Amino acid sequence: MTTLLDKLWDSHEIHCGRDGRSLLWVDRHLVHEGSHHAFSKLAERNSMVVEPNLTFGVADHYVPTRGTAASPAIVRMIETLERNAEKHGITYYGQLDSRQGIVHVIGPEQGLTLPGLLITCGDSHTSTHGAFGALAFGIGATEVSHVLATQTIWQSRPKSMRIAISGNLLPGVGSKDLALAWIAKLGADGAREHAVEYTGSAVRRLSMDGRMTLCNMSIEGGARFGMIAPDETTFAYIKDRPFAPSDALFKRAQMYWETLTSDENAEFDREVCIDASEIAPIVTWGTSPEDALPVTATVPNPTALAGTDSERVASAIDYMGLVPGRALTEVQIDQVFIGSCTNARIEDLRAAAAVLAGRRAKVPGLVSPGSQQIKAQAEAEGLDHIFIDAGLEWGNAGCSMCVAMNGDRVQSGKRCASTTNRNFRGRQGRDARTHLMSPAMVAAAAITGHLTDVRPFLKERLTE
Amino acid sequence: MTGWSKHTGMATAIDIENIDTDQIIPARFMSAPRSDGYGGFLLHDLRFDTTGNPRPNFPINLFPAVSILVGRRNFGTGSSREAAVYALGDFGIRAVIAPSFGDIFAANCINNGVLPALVSNKAATDLIVWLSGRQAQLNLNIRSRTISFDDQTVTFTLNDASAQKLLNGWDDIDLTQHHLSAIAAYRARRAQMQPWVFPANETAG
């Protein structure tokens, strides 16, 4: 009668305080340039990282993806991480390391992310790693310093929520659409205080790349934790990864991993059911990931709404420069971006390339692979040529244009069709306008120069 | 960090839903050392126009001495950046009152002595209406979980663990020192029972 959440939680609990908080063991702690405040706190205490072999550093948020660093402050951020990694004896993937990439891409890629582990990182998209049946969550700088100093973390157990996704995703509809669909349905705070477990036939059929996209977006619906019980797809992905167990140890681990499911009669605090076959390709129109609609819809009309909803929608439409009632497919874009911890894995690049192959983009854009290994793999498959021949720029690995802190950003007033996770005001650059969608949908928008339903493009491909 | 149980201060309302941490502190400011002070970055792009001039009608420009903000649902959603709370704290904000908070933001608040006071939708709306276009004094009490003003009192929700941390100003690292032997025992047990949880290919050092 136990949920996956409870199994993972109980297996990491060292102590439960009278105030209800648990002291949990951390199996993997991932740090990046943004962790500098936490290292400063550690230095103030004259403390050292207590488990350097369980701590891994990577430069991703501030690394340039094209040319050299944009400013001395950015150079300093990367150097500070490098210095801290060296001081504390932490494995570090710097800009020149062939294993470098976005922290939530390289963790799984290196086999650092495994089922049953507790994984923390000072980044809200740490929920990504839950795709392996791990308890993975984003933490703030004070908590990062606590993990560095003690390899543990104090947490209150979240409530449990099951999102059961039945049926089949239709052609042209992917994991990103699934994520945006539930966030639109429940709201950007719909799953706050909850850990979400994704179940159902549509989830089982997702590849690990697809599962990571789904779990990654959990935080955009308010859930600090997203998770999927591991299965054969998971085990096949992990096998032979550099840091994964091998041979007899792998077999022993797998026996345990197979127990990491919610029991059949497990009770969740909240249950939501979604039929995958009802989901169409989705785009966001506003300034919160909850502002998401099928691409076939029209821009909402604030006058048709009441109270704060009306005000919020009117304000978002004003920021986004849209016309209420107008078809979303009429919205002209200035550029595209394919990248981020949400959608920069090999399957994402393949999906975009499948649409772009032999076609030209009407607008400029940047493709930033999630890691250097993915970049190399994409190049081996010739995907880089497809992007370059379409007129897009092929960059290096990093958080790039998703975070607007590394030199890659969308200029003021410009509109970007983006595979990223946040369409917040100013997220991709001050006064930038972001429309979130899947890699295939971004590719379609690049070709037409406006928001576009990718499905006809795929149909053409199938009959060619 | 020093603990606190009561605070009386001026409050104003920010009548916007989904104020995310990218808005509380835009990413481009986060490479600054903490010693520079983060107060000037608070809600920067809402407070200042593109030429750097303050927007005169933005609430905290009108009332820069406030120590309490009242917001709408999903305050502090998004990125885990603790710098958002540094910006609030360095500006002088001791508490944010809202009907829902981003989970990571709320935890970061507690770790920096800022109270995330969770109230009902109605209570938030009433306060926002009451504060409309002005600042006014509120009294906060963490022990009784109350916000009082004029002759009214509303209650807020805060779990015991968070309340204790705010009251005592404790640092968790100090607290955890009392559990070192339990941690060591757990680690040893884990290494023995599930050796695969430790990285197979330890390249560090």
Side-chain angles (χ1 to χ4, degrees):
Chain A
M1 306 297 177
T2 316
T3 59
L4 173 58
L5 166 67
D6 286 339
K7 287 181 184 177
L8 293 171
W9 195 276
D10 294 344
S11 68
H12 287 89
E13 190 172 68
I14 297 165
H15 170 83
C16 187
R18 264 173 297 180
D19 59 10
R21 286 197 309 167
S22 304
L23 183 64
L24 303 173
W25 174 256
V26 177
D27 294 304
R28 300 283 185 277
H29 186 206
L30 310 173
V31 295
H32 56 84
E33 305 95 307
S35 311
H36 69 107
H37 289 298
F39 280 107
S40 300
K41 283 173 195 285
L42 206 63
E44 281 167 25
R45 301 180 68 98
N46 288 318
S47 292
M48 290 295 285
V49 173
V50 69
E51 295 275 2
N53 289 348
L54 301 180
T55 312
F56 295 82
V58 64
D60 61 357
H61 282 65
Y62 285 83
V63 295
T65 61
R66 296 169 288 179
T68 52
S71 73
I74 287 172
V75 172
R76 196 180 64 231
M77 289 295 284
I78 300 168
E79 285 175 352
T80 302
L81 175 64
E82 207 173 304
R83 210 171 45 245
N84 278 319
E86 196 179 335
K87 174 180 168 186
H88 294 280
I90 297 167
T91 301
Y92 169 67
Y93 305 127
Q95 290 175 87
L96 301 176
D97 194 301
S98 64
R99 297 164 295 180
Q100 180 268 345
I102 305 172
V103 62
H104 309 310
V105 174
I106 67 147
E109 203 171 71
Q110 292 301 318
L112 292 166
T113 304
L114 300 173
L117 299 189
L118 190 151
I119 302 170
T120 57
C121 173
D123 188 279
S124 62
H125 292 107
T126 307
S127 57
T128 310
H129 308 263
F132 291 79
L135 191 64
F137 52 103
I139 55 179
T142 302
E143 292 173 312
V144 170
S145 67
H146 187 275
V147 180
L148 291 173
T150 69
Q151 203 59 27
T152 64
I153 187 159
W154 291 97
Q155 289 288 298
S156 299
R157 192 184 301 233
K159 289 179 260 188
S160 61
M161 177 169 179
R162 174 157 61 191
I163 300 185
I165 308 162
S166 60
N168 281 319
L169 288 169
L170 299 173
V173 183
S175 189
K176 181 67 159 290
D177 302 294
L178 200 49
L180 289 170
W182 84 254
I183 295 164
K185 183 180 162 120
L186 302 185
D189 58 351
R192 78 183 167 85
E193 295 176 6
H194 286 78
V196 172
E197 181 181 349
Y198 301 95
T199 67
S201 53
V203 174
R204 284 294 137 216
R205 270 190 288 273
L206 290 175
S207 65
M208 288 316 299
D209 284 9
R211 292 179 190 186
M212 284 189 258
T213 300
L214 185 59
C215 287
N216 171 280
M217 292 290 286
S218 302
I219 186 69
E220 306 314 328
R224 201 170 179 184
F225 310 76
M227 62 188 78
I228 295 172
D231 59 12
E232 289 302 329
T233 305
T234 322
F235 309 144
Y237 179 102
I238 294 165
K239 212 164 181 17
D240 302 326
R241 299 270 165 189
F243 284 94
S246 51
D247 307 322
L249 211 50
F250 186 94
K251 281 189 190 133
R252 188 169 157 193
Q254 186 176 331
M255 280 173 65
Y256 172 70
W257 295 340
E258 284 168 356
T259 69
L260 295 175
T261 57
S262 286
D263 296 339
E264 208 151 302
N265 299 321
E267 283 188 17
F268 289 79
D269 296 306
R270 196 166 168 207
E271 300 226 33
V272 177
C273 295
I274 290 173
D275 181 348
S277 64
E278 288 176 3
I279 297 171
I282 290 178
V283 296
T284 63
W285 53 267
T287 54
S288 162
E290 69 188 12
D291 300 337
L293 284 169
V295 68
T296 48
T298 54
V299 176
N301 190 348
T303 57
L305 300 164
T308 56
D309 279 347
S310 173
E311 284 167 34
R312 198 182 74 73
V313 169
S315 165
I317 285 175
D318 177 55
Y319 178 86
M320 293 297 290
L322 300 174
V323 181
R326 192 74 64 81
L328 284 166
T329 50
E330 287 176 31
V331 176
Q332 303 286 323
I333 57 164
D334 298 300
Q335 64 195 94
V336 299
F337 176 66
I338 297 172
S340 86
C341 60
T342 309
N343 278 130
R345 296 181 182 82
I346 192 68
E347 285 180 16
D348 300 317
L349 301 184
R350 285 179 192 146
V355 177
L356 282 164
R359 293 180 168 130
R360 286 286 299 175
K362 275 206 177 129
V363 294
L366 171 64
V367 184
S368 172
S371 71
Q372 297 204 23
Q373 290 198 355
I374 289 170
K375 183 175 186 182
Q377 189 178 348
E379 288 173 354
E381 295 178 17
L383 304 185
D384 56 327
H385 287 295
I386 294 176
F387 294 123
I388 292 165
D389 290 348
L392 302 180
E393 204 171 342
W394 179 242
N396 286 319
C399 297
S400 188
M401 210 173 271
C402 178
V403 286
M405 57 173 79
N406 47 49
D408 289 335
R409 62 174 181 273
V410 177
Q411 296 300 319
S412 175
K414 296 291 184 192
R415 186 182 303 283
C416 183
S418 183
T419 67
T420 54
N421 41 56
R422 289 184 173 137
N423 52 347
F424 298 162
R425 285 164 197 260
R427 170 76 178 184
Q428 289 194 288
R430 186 163 188 178
D431 295 326
R433 293 160 170 166
T434 302
H435 294 273
L436 305 176
M437 63 198 79
S438 72
M441 285 286 286
V442 168
I447 293 164
T448 63
H450 54 81
L451 302 185
T452 299
D453 190 338
V454 70
R455 289 173 295 187
F457 286 88
L458 295 169
K459 221 169 255 171
E460 280 173 35
R461 279 285 137 92
L462 292 173
T463 54
E464 265 169 17
Chain B
M1 198 170 73
T2 48
W4 61 281
S5 63
K6 290 178 183 175
H7 173 71
T8 296
M10 300 305 280
T12 194
I14 301 206
D15 187 7
I16 305 173
E17 292 186 5
N18 292 326
I19 290 270
D20 53 74
T21 53
D22 274 85
Q23 290 183 77
I24 297 174
I25 179 167
R28 62 185 185 277
F29 299 121
M30 294 199 302
S31 54
R34 179 72 199 275
S35 52
D36 287 4
Y38 273 40
F41 307 142
L42 178 65
L43 295 163
H44 186 279
D45 293 351
L46 292 170
R47 267 166 80 195
F48 301 98
D49 66 20
T50 45
T51 58
N53 290 317
R55 297 185 210 272
N57 292 325
F58 193 72
I60 57 172
N61 287 339
L62 286 169
F63 314 114
V66 291
S67 57
I68 303 164
L69 295 180
V70 184
R72 292 268 181 203
R73 68 175 265 261
N74 213 14
F75 194 101
T77 184
S79 156
S80 61
R81 59 188 69 172
E82 196 160 301
V85 181
Y86 303 159
L88 286 163
D90 289 357
F91 188 85
I93 302 298
R94 305 287 300 276
V96 181
I97 301 167
S100 65
F101 292 98
D103 286 351
I104 306 175
F105 172 80
N108 290 341
C109 281
I110 299 295
N111 280 325
N112 287 277
V114 175
L115 165 67
L118 187 72
V119 296
S120 68
N121 256 318
K122 186 187 177 305
T125 299
D126 288 350
L127 271 169
I128 287 168
V129 170
W130 184 71
L131 287 167
S132 180
R134 67 185 188 117
Q135 60 178 343
Q137 188 174 293
L138 293 181
N139 303 295
L140 306 174
N141 188 321
I142 292 174
R143 282 206 173 80
S144 62
R145 313 283 206 274
T146 53
I147 302 160
S148 55
F149 53 100
D150 287 353
D151 54 350
Q152 298 187 58
T153 297
V154 295
T155 56
F156 62 84
T157 304
L158 182 72
N159 69 37
D160 289 343
S162 298
Q164 282 306 315
K165 281 192 69 167
L166 287 176
L167 289 167
N168 297 317
W170 282 336
D171 183 328
D172 277 339
I173 296 179
D174 295 330
L175 181 68
T176 306
Q177 302 309 310
H178 300 295
H179 300 282
L180 292 182
S181 59
I183 294 170
Y186 176 93
R187 190 196 196 284
R189 204 164 59 240
R190 194 155 177 75
Q192 196 199 352
M193 306 282 288
Q194 298 184 310
W196 55 268
V197 303
F198 292 88
N201 172 19
E202 298 189 349
T203 56

